[in-house]
Amino acid sequence: MWERGRDFDCDTNAIAVGGRVLELRTPGASYEDVFVPLHGAHQGDNAALALAGAEAFFDAPLDGDVVTEAFSAVTSPGRMEIAGRQPLRILDGAHNPAGAEALARSLAEEFGTDAGRVLVVGFLRGRDPVEMLSALDAAHSRLVVACTPPSPRARPANEVADAARSIGLDAVDAGSVAEAVARALDAAEADEMVLVTGSLYVVGAARPLLVPARPR
């Protein structure tokens, strides 16, 4: 049995333009300057686990060029995904408190907390809006645009907006995801951030509105 930290790990995990640069170690090899085009320090941990799993499956080290090429092509739609700029548009399906805290840490590390932030957010029932907004560090958002996820388990947007106001945030109830995205883009300045998060249903509905379709 391999133990993380002892047998395999991500020994270096640094911010790079468009992602992270990693040094990964397994029982059979070390891989330096591995670029992963994903955002968030946790992606280094994910890469180490993925690489260890692959080497355990093959019971041998992998070719360094194969590792580099494979990680450079990784995508993770809806997870710290940059969907556009001016304003910066980020999609992340942080649907539980732990995921929301990880998102907040990643945003602070990579983009800071000084720039204006407009938050588009919707939750399912079973999630405490105040707990989720706190985990998202929504205090650094100058506006919360609440929406209702397209799910029968959705928490109504007005409840989320009321929860945001209860902790001192400026919030509006936009109803649908499409309306929320439009209002957020209209409210955001070119040098600000529009963050769409809270539920995978919200991110799934918002993504086609923000990510240009690729030609077939």
Side-chain angles (χ1 to χ4, degrees):
M1 179 181 295
W2 292 0
E3 180 180 331
R4 180 181 164 185
R6 183 191 67 189
D7 301 300
F8 72 95
D9 212 342
C10 176
D11 291 331
T12 300
N13 186 346
I15 296 174
V17 176
R20 317 285 302 189
V21 172
L22 314 174
E23 180 181 346
L24 302 172
R25 169 174 53 83
T26 66
S30 292
Y31 306 87
E32 298 182 356
D33 297 326
V34 177
F35 176 71
V36 179
L38 302 176
H39 299 275
H42 57 283
Q43 298 296 356
D45 299 328
N46 291 341
L49 288 166
L51 181 58
E55 291 201 358
F57 178 81
F58 288 108
D59 195 26
L62 302 183
D63 180 86
D65 290 339
V66 170
V67 171
T68 299
E69 182 177 355
F71 277 121
S72 69
V74 169
T75 62
S76 186
R79 295 291 189 178
M80 276 291 286
E81 180 182 12
I82 295 178
R85 298 183 183 275
Q86 294 187 323
L88 181 65
R89 304 161 197 182
I90 297 179
L91 296 158
D92 192 283
H95 60 281
N96 57 43
E101 290 174 358
L103 171 59
R105 287 194 300 271
S106 297
L107 291 173
E109 179 192 25
E110 299 211 19
F111 304 106
T113 57
D114 294 334
R117 187 181 300 177
V118 178
L119 182 65
V120 174
V121 65
F123 304 116
L124 301 184
R125 293 195 180 278
R127 299 298 181 199
D128 180 340
V130 170
E131 180 185 19
M132 288 295 296
L133 289 166
S134 298
L136 287 166
D137 196 18
H140 283 105
S141 299
R142 69 170 181 83
L143 177 64
V144 175
V145 184
C147 60
T148 302
S151 166
R153 297 185 292 122
R155 182 177 290 279
N158 66 295
E159 294 183 7
V160 176
D162 288 344
R165 295 187 195 102
S166 76
I167 55 175
L169 302 176
D170 187 10
V172 296
D173 169 4
S176 71
V177 174
E179 183 184 350
V181 168
R183 292 186 68 169
L185 292 175
D186 185 59
E189 301 292 338
D191 60 350
E192 292 186 320
M193 173 194 301
V194 172
L195 172 64
V196 181
T197 187
S199 165
L200 292 171
Y201 287 97
V202 171
V203 170
R207 193 170 186 274
L209 305 174
L210 295 173
V211 179
R214 293 182 178 180
R216 296 182 178 180

